[in-house]
Amino acid sequence: MKARYTLWLAGLLLASCVSYSPAPINLQKDTAEWQALSAQLCAQGALSRADVYRIGLQLNPELNSARLAYAGSTQVAKYAGLWDDPSVSVGIERVLHERTINHSIAPSLSIPVTGSKYLAKKVAEQYKEADFWKMREKERAYLQELDSLYNGLLVGNARLALMRGRLAQARSEKEQAEKLHSLGEIPFADYQAVSSRLQELVTAEQEQANSQLEAKLKLLRALGLHPSVELPSPAEGLPASVPAPVAAPGGAELVNHPALLAENAAYGASELELKSEIRKQYPDLELGLSGGKDDGDTELGINLGLTLPLWNRNRSAIHKANADRAAARNSVLTVWRGLLQDAAALAGRQALEYSHCLAEQGRVAELQAAAEKQERLFAIGEIALPALAGARQEAYTRRLNYLDCLASLLEIRSSLQAMHPNHFDK
């Protein structure tokens, strides 16, 4: 009966143990699944900004690494703070001259009267919270990056369309200039200027096309899509007018910024770790029972044990934990001050860039009106082709400058919006 009970208890203990489970890597299978998922996510055609967010949050490898870290700390927190397993010691001795055998058994259990196990549980929960907010900060920073890449793609498309429209005009101007020069109506210098401008426009268009391809590939990689997938064109366009400034987050909002919350959680963990190391100066209680036979007599006893903190009072670990707490506190203050500085700097830059965009938009309208007037005068023969080509080029250059100014403003607005803790939750 005792043997059956012992076997049952041993089986129960073994069943509660974690067993190893292999997880082999199959690169071919993973690649095929990745390619199929990427094609499925991009099958709807043009990509809106929300589509870009959705795809990136699902596929980006760095975000998935952060999620795995949080999942790991969640499991650690789940099982942290458990009491130490009881121990059992068994002794057998034979009394030679009496030919008797004495045996004893002594189970013991450590009772954490100092509360060290409770603190270990709380420390693990703090690190779990820190990993959660680190994951949220990575998501926030990543979505801001996607926002910037998407805006860059929109501006690049607008620049490329503008360049190709002007290039078509320049080719027509060169054909006209060539005919006029052959008829002796314009000098060679004017013809050469028109021809040179065409070559400059061709070079600029090629460079912009290369830049646009790089921008698409960068967004494709940031999204985590398979390289064989053709990235759909953006479903959105640039704003028709200069977008209004966005409000900069204040201190009441920035206290909930995920980067700051992550540092606060890590500081909380350092506080608890210091308390835990301080409590380790004092011993936990060891409680044990003993029983056995000695010279045929059955004996029972109770054992109490503890360590005496005479020399080693955990001073080294306490001082290290204290230094770690100071470093964690400094990290909180550094992140907080950095957030305040960034918000103020972005607000100032936004105000300046907004005024620049408004001024540039006014100049674009003036030059566009002047170019249209030149078109009408050229149609009735009042001005020559070189003057018309010059007016067109000036209006074109000013529109490119406006797009550059708008791109800078959109970048600043995106950074400011992303600093609001709940911006991407909307």
mmCIF file of all heavy atoms in Angstrom, residues 158-193:
data_model
loop_
_atom_site.group_PDB
_atom_site.id
_atom_site.type_symbol
_atom_site.label_atom_id
_atom_site.label_comp_id
_atom_site.label_asym_id
_atom_site.label_seq_id
_atom_site.Cartn_x
_atom_site.Cartn_y
_atom_site.Cartn_z
ATOM 1 N N ALA A 158 3.648 63.768 -55.813
ATOM 2 C CA ALA A 158 3.276 65.100 -56.310
ATOM 3 C C ALA A 158 4.446 65.754 -57.043
ATOM 4 O O ALA A 158 4.260 66.383 -58.098
ATOM 5 C CB ALA A 158 2.827 65.982 -55.142
ATOM 6 N N ARG A 159 5.652 65.605 -56.506
ATOM 7 C CA ARG A 159 6.830 66.162 -57.174
ATOM 8 C C ARG A 159 7.044 65.500 -58.535
ATOM 9 O O ARG A 159 7.350 66.185 -59.528
ATOM 10 C CB ARG A 159 8.068 65.965 -56.297
ATOM 11 C CG ARG A 159 8.151 66.882 -55.088
ATOM 12 C CD ARG A 159 9.393 66.571 -54.264
ATOM 13 N NE ARG A 159 10.599 66.765 -55.042
ATOM 14 C CZ ARG A 159 11.252 67.915 -55.174
ATOM 15 N NH1 ARG A 159 10.789 68.999 -54.558
ATOM 16 N NH2 ARG A 159 12.340 68.008 -55.904
ATOM 17 N N LEU A 160 6.890 64.176 -58.576
ATOM 18 C CA LEU A 160 7.112 63.457 -59.832
ATOM 19 C C LEU A 160 6.081 63.851 -60.882
ATOM 20 O O LEU A 160 6.419 64.046 -62.058
ATOM 21 C CB LEU A 160 7.056 61.948 -59.563
ATOM 22 C CG LEU A 160 7.695 61.025 -60.607
ATOM 23 C CD1 LEU A 160 9.154 61.392 -60.837
ATOM 24 C CD2 LEU A 160 7.568 59.574 -60.165
ATOM 25 N N ALA A 161 4.825 63.985 -60.470
ATOM 26 C CA ALA A 161 3.785 64.406 -61.418
ATOM 27 C C ALA A 161 4.061 65.811 -61.934
ATOM 28 O O ALA A 161 3.882 66.100 -63.134
ATOM 29 C CB ALA A 161 2.417 64.343 -60.746
ATOM 30 N N LEU A 162 4.482 66.704 -61.042
ATOM 31 C CA LEU A 162 4.797 68.071 -61.450
ATOM 32 C C LEU A 162 5.977 68.097 -62.419
ATOM 33 O O LEU A 162 5.959 68.812 -63.432
ATOM 34 C CB LEU A 162 5.114 68.907 -60.207
ATOM 35 C CG LEU A 162 5.436 70.390 -60.423
ATOM 36 C CD1 LEU A 162 4.274 71.107 -61.098
ATOM 37 C CD2 LEU A 162 5.778 71.047 -59.092
ATOM 38 N N MET A 163 6.999 67.305 -62.130
ATOM 39 C CA MET A 163 8.175 67.258 -62.999
ATOM 40 C C MET A 163 7.832 66.712 -64.379
ATOM 41 O O MET A 163 8.311 67.227 -65.401
ATOM 42 C CB MET A 163 9.263 66.388 -62.347
ATOM 43 C CG MET A 163 9.953 67.035 -61.169
ATOM 44 S SD MET A 163 11.195 65.938 -60.443
ATOM 45 C CE MET A 163 11.975 67.044 -59.268
ATOM 46 N N ARG A 164 7.018 65.673 -64.400
ATOM 47 C CA ARG A 164 6.672 65.082 -65.697
ATOM 48 C C ARG A 164 5.795 66.013 -66.523
ATOM 49 O O ARG A 164 5.908 66.050 -67.754
ATOM 50 C CB ARG A 164 5.999 63.735 -65.478
ATOM 51 C CG ARG A 164 7.001 62.679 -65.034
ATOM 52 C CD ARG A 164 6.374 61.368 -64.633
ATOM 53 N NE ARG A 164 7.416 60.398 -64.306
ATOM 54 C CZ ARG A 164 7.205 59.215 -63.725
ATOM 55 N NH1 ARG A 164 5.958 58.865 -63.389
ATOM 56 N NH2 ARG A 164 8.210 58.399 -63.479
ATOM 57 N N GLY A 165 4.932 66.775 -65.856
ATOM 58 C CA GLY A 165 4.140 67.765 -66.576
ATOM 59 C C GLY A 165 5.016 68.856 -67.163
ATOM 60 O O GLY A 165 4.845 69.265 -68.323
ATOM 61 N N ARG A 166 5.964 69.335 -66.368
ATOM 62 C CA ARG A 166 6.877 70.374 -66.869
ATOM 63 C C ARG A 166 7.791 69.818 -67.954
ATOM 64 O O ARG A 166 8.136 70.525 -68.919
ATOM 65 C CB ARG A 166 7.704 70.907 -65.696
ATOM 66 C CG ARG A 166 8.736 71.963 -66.098
ATOM 67 C CD ARG A 166 8.074 73.245 -66.545
ATOM 68 N NE ARG A 166 9.057 74.166 -67.099
ATOM 69 C CZ ARG A 166 9.118 74.527 -68.378
ATOM 70 N NH1 ARG A 166 8.251 74.026 -69.253
ATOM 71 N NH2 ARG A 166 10.036 75.373 -68.805
ATOM 72 N N LEU A 167 8.186 68.550 -67.823
ATOM 73 C CA LEU A 167 9.049 67.925 -68.826
ATOM 74 C C LEU A 167 8.342 67.846 -70.182
ATOM 75 O O LEU A 167 8.959 68.076 -71.238
ATOM 76 C CB LEU A 167 9.464 66.530 -68.344
ATOM 77 C CG LEU A 167 10.581 65.810 -69.102
ATOM 78 C CD1 LEU A 167 11.836 66.660 -69.153
ATOM 79 C CD2 LEU A 167 10.860 64.469 -68.450
ATOM 80 N N ALA A 168 7.059 67.519 -70.151
ATOM 81 C CA ALA A 168 6.299 67.487 -71.404
ATOM 82 C C ALA A 168 6.253 68.871 -72.046
ATOM 83 O O ALA A 168 6.396 69.011 -73.271
ATOM 84 C CB ALA A 168 4.890 66.970 -71.140
ATOM 85 N N GLN A 169 6.084 69.902 -71.204
ATOM 86 C CA GLN A 169 6.103 71.271 -71.721
ATOM 87 C C GLN A 169 7.467 71.604 -72.327
ATOM 88 O O GLN A 169 7.561 72.205 -73.404
ATOM 89 C CB GLN A 169 5.806 72.267 -70.592
ATOM 90 C CG GLN A 169 4.355 72.448 -70.254
ATOM 91 C CD GLN A 169 4.178 73.534 -69.193
ATOM 92 O OE1 GLN A 169 5.082 73.834 -68.416
ATOM 93 N NE2 GLN A 169 2.998 74.123 -69.164
ATOM 94 N N ALA A 170 8.532 71.204 -71.632
ATOM 95 C CA ALA A 170 9.882 71.539 -72.083
ATOM 96 C C ALA A 170 10.212 70.858 -73.408
ATOM 97 O O ALA A 170 10.915 71.442 -74.258
ATOM 98 C CB ALA A 170 10.898 71.144 -71.012
ATOM 99 N N ARG A 171 9.723 69.648 -73.587
ATOM 100 C CA ARG A 171 9.959 68.975 -74.875
ATOM 101 C C ARG A 171 9.253 69.722 -76.013
ATOM 102 O O ARG A 171 9.809 69.872 -77.111
ATOM 103 C CB ARG A 171 9.485 67.530 -74.791
ATOM 104 C CG ARG A 171 10.360 66.625 -73.925
ATOM 105 C CD ARG A 171 10.054 65.157 -74.149
ATOM 106 N NE ARG A 171 10.995 64.313 -73.427
ATOM 107 C CZ ARG A 171 10.734 63.683 -72.287
ATOM 108 N NH1 ARG A 171 9.522 63.829 -71.728
ATOM 109 N NH2 ARG A 171 11.643 62.927 -71.701
ATOM 110 N N SER A 172 8.052 70.157 -75.721
ATOM 111 C CA SER A 172 7.325 70.941 -76.725
ATOM 112 C C SER A 172 8.039 72.255 -77.004
ATOM 113 O O SER A 172 8.136 72.698 -78.178
ATOM 114 C CB SER A 172 5.895 71.192 -76.249
ATOM 115 O OG SER A 172 5.194 72.021 -77.153
ATOM 116 N N GLU A 173 8.551 72.893 -75.940
ATOM 117 C CA GLU A 173 9.282 74.146 -76.124
ATOM 118 C C GLU A 173 10.534 73.946 -76.974
ATOM 119 O O GLU A 173 10.874 74.792 -77.818
ATOM 120 C CB GLU A 173 9.675 74.709 -74.750
ATOM 121 C CG GLU A 173 8.506 75.235 -73.934
ATOM 122 C CD GLU A 173 8.856 75.461 -72.479
ATOM 123 O OE1 GLU A 173 10.039 75.274 -72.096
ATOM 124 O OE2 GLU A 173 7.948 75.809 -71.707
ATOM 125 N N LYS A 174 11.228 72.838 -76.773
ATOM 126 C CA LYS A 174 12.447 72.579 -77.564
ATOM 127 C C LYS A 174 12.101 72.393 -79.041
ATOM 128 O O LYS A 174 12.814 72.903 -79.933
ATOM 129 C CB LYS A 174 13.159 71.342 -77.034
ATOM 130 C CG LYS A 174 14.475 71.033 -77.757
ATOM 131 C CD LYS A 174 15.162 69.840 -77.153
ATOM 132 C CE LYS A 174 16.485 69.566 -77.874
ATOM 133 N NZ LYS A 174 16.329 69.227 -79.284
ATOM 134 N N GLU A 175 11.016 71.668 -79.310
ATOM 135 C CA GLU A 175 10.609 71.479 -80.710
ATOM 136 C C GLU A 175 10.274 72.819 -81.365
ATOM 137 O O GLU A 175 10.681 73.101 -82.509
ATOM 138 C CB GLU A 175 9.418 70.536 -80.777
ATOM 139 C CG GLU A 175 9.745 69.100 -80.383
ATOM 140 C CD GLU A 175 8.499 68.217 -80.376
ATOM 141 O OE1 GLU A 175 7.405 68.731 -80.690
ATOM 142 O OE2 GLU A 175 8.625 67.020 -80.056
ATOM 143 N N GLN A 176 9.527 73.641 -80.616
ATOM 144 C CA GLN A 176 9.176 74.959 -81.162
ATOM 145 C C GLN A 176 10.413 75.823 -81.353
ATOM 146 O O GLN A 176 10.555 76.531 -82.367
ATOM 147 C CB GLN A 176 8.178 75.658 -80.243
ATOM 148 C CG GLN A 176 6.821 74.969 -80.140
ATOM 149 C CD GLN A 176 5.906 75.697 -79.172
ATOM 150 O OE1 GLN A 176 5.626 76.881 -79.360
ATOM 151 N NE2 GLN A 176 5.441 74.986 -78.164
ATOM 152 N N ALA A 177 11.325 75.799 -80.370
ATOM 153 C CA ALA A 177 12.533 76.623 -80.457
ATOM 154 C C ALA A 177 13.401 76.184 -81.627
ATOM 155 O O ALA A 177 14.016 77.026 -82.309
ATOM 156 C CB ALA A 177 13.317 76.533 -79.149
ATOM 157 N N GLU A 178 13.454 74.874 -81.857
ATOM 158 C CA GLU A 178 14.249 74.363 -82.975
ATOM 159 C C GLU A 178 13.713 74.873 -84.313
ATOM 160 O O GLU A 178 14.482 75.297 -85.192
ATOM 161 C CB GLU A 178 14.250 72.837 -82.930
ATOM 162 C CG GLU A 178 15.236 72.186 -83.879
ATOM 163 C CD GLU A 178 15.338 70.684 -83.663
ATOM 164 O OE1 GLU A 178 14.552 70.142 -82.855
ATOM 165 O OE2 GLU A 178 16.191 70.059 -84.293
ATOM 166 N N LYS A 179 12.384 74.874 -84.463
ATOM 167 C CA LYS A 179 11.776 75.376 -85.700
ATOM 168 C C LYS A 179 12.010 76.877 -85.848
ATOM 169 O O LYS A 179 12.366 77.362 -86.937
ATOM 170 C CB LYS A 179 10.282 75.077 -85.700
ATOM 171 C CG LYS A 179 9.941 73.605 -85.811
ATOM 172 C CD LYS A 179 8.441 73.400 -85.750
ATOM 173 C CE LYS A 179 8.100 71.903 -85.800
ATOM 174 N NZ LYS A 179 6.632 71.673 -85.686
ATOM 175 N N LEU A 180 11.817 77.627 -84.766
ATOM 176 C CA LEU A 180 11.991 79.065 -84.819
ATOM 177 C C LEU A 180 13.447 79.447 -85.118
ATOM 178 O O LEU A 180 13.723 80.410 -85.861
ATOM 179 C CB LEU A 180 11.544 79.713 -83.499
ATOM 180 C CG LEU A 180 10.042 79.651 -83.198
ATOM 181 C CD1 LEU A 180 9.763 80.126 -81.789
ATOM 182 C CD2 LEU A 180 9.258 80.479 -84.223
ATOM 183 N N HIS A 181 14.383 78.690 -84.552
ATOM 184 C CA HIS A 181 15.789 78.976 -84.815
ATOM 185 C C HIS A 181 16.144 78.680 -86.264
ATOM 186 O O HIS A 181 16.913 79.430 -86.902
ATOM 187 C CB HIS A 181 16.677 78.158 -83.881
ATOM 188 C CG HIS A 181 18.129 78.280 -84.179
ATOM 189 N ND1 HIS A 181 18.815 79.477 -84.083
ATOM 190 C CD2 HIS A 181 19.051 77.352 -84.603
ATOM 191 C CE1 HIS A 181 20.086 79.284 -84.416
ATOM 192 N NE2 HIS A 181 20.251 77.999 -84.740
ATOM 193 N N SER A 182 15.589 77.590 -86.800
ATOM 194 C CA SER A 182 15.860 77.262 -88.203
ATOM 195 C C SER A 182 15.301 78.319 -89.154
ATOM 196 O O SER A 182 15.816 78.519 -90.257
ATOM 197 C CB SER A 182 15.282 75.887 -88.542
ATOM 198 O OG SER A 182 13.866 75.912 -88.455
ATOM 199 N N LEU A 183 14.242 79.015 -88.697
ATOM 200 C CA LEU A 183 13.657 80.084 -89.504
ATOM 201 C C LEU A 183 14.320 81.426 -89.226
ATOM 202 O O LEU A 183 13.964 82.444 -89.846
ATOM 203 C CB LEU A 183 12.154 80.199 -89.220
ATOM 204 C CG LEU A 183 11.302 78.976 -89.620
ATOM 205 C CD1 LEU A 183 9.882 79.149 -89.137
ATOM 206 C CD2 LEU A 183 11.348 78.773 -91.135
ATOM 207 N N GLY A 184 15.253 81.429 -88.278
ATOM 208 C CA GLY A 184 15.959 82.659 -87.952
ATOM 209 C C GLY A 184 15.178 83.623 -87.094
ATOM 210 O O GLY A 184 15.547 84.801 -86.994
ATOM 211 N N GLU A 185 14.132 83.138 -86.410
ATOM 212 C CA GLU A 185 13.302 84.036 -85.602
ATOM 213 C C GLU A 185 13.806 84.182 -84.172
ATOM 214 O O GLU A 185 13.412 85.114 -83.467
ATOM 215 C CB GLU A 185 11.851 83.548 -85.607
ATOM 216 C CG GLU A 185 11.210 83.611 -86.987
ATOM 217 C CD GLU A 185 9.727 83.324 -86.946
ATOM 218 O OE1 GLU A 185 9.172 83.349 -85.824
ATOM 219 O OE2 GLU A 185 9.135 83.091 -88.007
ATOM 220 N N ILE A 186 14.610 83.243 -83.702
ATOM 221 C CA ILE A 186 15.232 83.389 -82.383
ATOM 222 C C ILE A 186 16.709 83.075 -82.518
ATOM 223 O O ILE A 186 17.113 82.244 -83.350
ATOM 224 C CB ILE A 186 14.584 82.468 -81.316
ATOM 225 C CG1 ILE A 186 14.763 80.998 -81.668
ATOM 226 C CG2 ILE A 186 13.138 82.806 -81.085
ATOM 227 C CD1 ILE A 186 14.325 80.056 -80.574
ATOM 228 N N PRO A 187 17.571 83.728 -81.724
ATOM 229 C CA PRO A 187 19.006 83.454 -81.815
ATOM 230 C C PRO A 187 19.358 82.078 -81.244
ATOM 231 O O PRO A 187 18.582 81.456 -80.511
ATOM 232 C CB PRO A 187 19.628 84.581 -80.980
ATOM 233 C CG PRO A 187 18.573 84.982 -80.029
ATOM 234 C CD PRO A 187 17.257 84.797 -80.759
ATOM 235 N N PHE A 188 20.568 81.640 -81.575
ATOM 236 C CA PHE A 188 21.023 80.328 -81.124
ATOM 237 C C PHE A 188 21.112 80.265 -79.602
ATOM 238 O O PHE A 188 20.865 79.223 -79.003
ATOM 239 C CB PHE A 188 22.391 80.012 -81.752
ATOM 240 C CG PHE A 188 22.960 78.706 -81.293
ATOM 241 C CD1 PHE A 188 22.464 77.501 -81.776
ATOM 242 C CD2 PHE A 188 23.979 78.672 -80.334
ATOM 243 C CE1 PHE A 188 22.990 76.282 -81.325
ATOM 244 C CE2 PHE A 188 24.490 77.461 -79.892
ATOM 245 C CZ PHE A 188 23.998 76.260 -80.395
ATOM 246 N N ALA A 189 21.468 81.357 -78.968
ATOM 247 C CA ALA A 189 21.599 81.374 -77.507
ATOM 248 C C ALA A 189 20.271 81.046 -76.831
ATOM 249 O O ALA A 189 20.222 80.309 -75.833
ATOM 250 C CB ALA A 189 22.115 82.736 -77.041
ATOM 251 N N ASP A 190 19.175 81.597 -77.378
ATOM 252 C CA ASP A 190 17.855 81.286 -76.807
ATOM 253 C C ASP A 190 17.506 79.821 -77.027
ATOM 254 O O ASP A 190 16.945 79.155 -76.143
ATOM 255 C CB ASP A 190 16.786 82.183 -77.434
ATOM 256 C CG ASP A 190 16.894 83.614 -76.943
ATOM 257 O OD1 ASP A 190 17.572 83.845 -75.912
ATOM 258 O OD2 ASP A 190 16.301 84.508 -77.583
ATOM 259 N N TYR A 191 17.813 79.325 -78.206
ATOM 260 C CA TYR A 191 17.561 77.899 -78.484
ATOM 261 C C TYR A 191 18.383 77.018 -77.545
ATOM 262 O O TYR A 191 17.891 76.026 -77.010
ATOM 263 C CB TYR A 191 17.898 77.582 -79.936
ATOM 264 C CG TYR A 191 17.976 76.096 -80.216
ATOM 265 C CD1 TYR A 191 16.820 75.315 -80.245
ATOM 266 C CD2 TYR A 191 19.210 75.466 -80.419
ATOM 267 C CE1 TYR A 191 16.898 73.940 -80.482
ATOM 268 C CE2 TYR A 191 19.293 74.110 -80.648
ATOM 269 C CZ TYR A 191 18.131 73.338 -80.680
ATOM 270 O OH TYR A 191 18.200 71.993 -80.908
ATOM 271 N N GLN A 192 19.648 77.396 -77.317
ATOM 272 C CA GLN A 192 20.519 76.615 -76.452
ATOM 273 C C GLN A 192 20.015 76.634 -75.010
ATOM 274 O O GLN A 192 20.082 75.628 -74.301
ATOM 275 C CB GLN A 192 21.943 77.176 -76.508
ATOM 276 C CG GLN A 192 22.980 76.347 -75.758
ATOM 277 C CD GLN A 192 23.144 74.959 -76.335
ATOM 278 O OE1 GLN A 192 22.937 74.748 -77.536
ATOM 279 N NE2 GLN A 192 23.482 73.992 -75.495
ATOM 280 N N ALA A 193 19.486 77.763 -74.560
ATOM 281 C CA ALA A 193 18.949 77.856 -73.190
ATOM 282 C C ALA A 193 17.751 76.937 -73.006
ATOM 283 O O ALA A 193 17.623 76.244 -71.987
ATOM 284 C CB ALA A 193 18.565 79.303 -72.887
#
